[in-house]
Amino acid sequence: TSPRKPITTSGIPRRRGAQPGNTQALKHGRHSKASRALRARIHAFRKRVRLTLAGVESQIEARNKESAKHAPRGPRKWLRKKR
């Protein structure tokens, strides 16, 4: 058995927020449709940025490991000062 949504007196199913016919319904502010949409877009953008940065950091780490493999292991004669 599935739960049934309560029906208003006008026959429209109840929904989130102010019910149909409510003259004091919130039309702007934090919970407005536009504000929720903006927050969703910001959240998606920040997620893309985090994933991009994680990819860049892993590439940098891989390059550092690769360059460490080819680094000279002996004493660096070219760093010594000439007398």
Side-chain angles (χ1 to χ4, degrees):
T1 62
S2 63
R4 302 184 87 182
K5 292 185 178 180
I7 305 293
T8 60
T9 55
S10 62
I12 300 171
R14 289 182 65 89
R15 59 185 171 88
R16 191 175 156 166
Q19 298 307 309
N22 183 352
T23 58
Q24 296 178 345
L26 181 64
K27 306 229 179 349
H28 57 81
R30 185 181 193 319
H31 300 289
S32 69
K33 189 180 221 178
S35 293
R36 286 195 312 259
L38 176 63
R39 283 194 304 276
R41 288 182 63 201
I42 291 170
H43 176 74
F45 172 74
R46 291 181 70 191
K47 185 175 182 178
R48 283 195 317 270
V49 168
R50 275 194 306 271
L51 292 173
T52 302
L53 285 176
V56 169
E57 287 174 349
S58 67
Q59 287 178 355
I60 290 171
E61 188 176 325
R63 284 183 187 172
N64 288 341
K65 284 182 181 178
E66 187 64 29
S67 65
K69 288 180 183 177
H70 301 295
R73 295 213 162 98
R76 297 182 182 155
K77 294 179 182 177
W78 53 273
L79 282 176
R80 295 184 193 162
K81 290 183 180 179
K82 293 182 181 179
R83 293 184 192 183

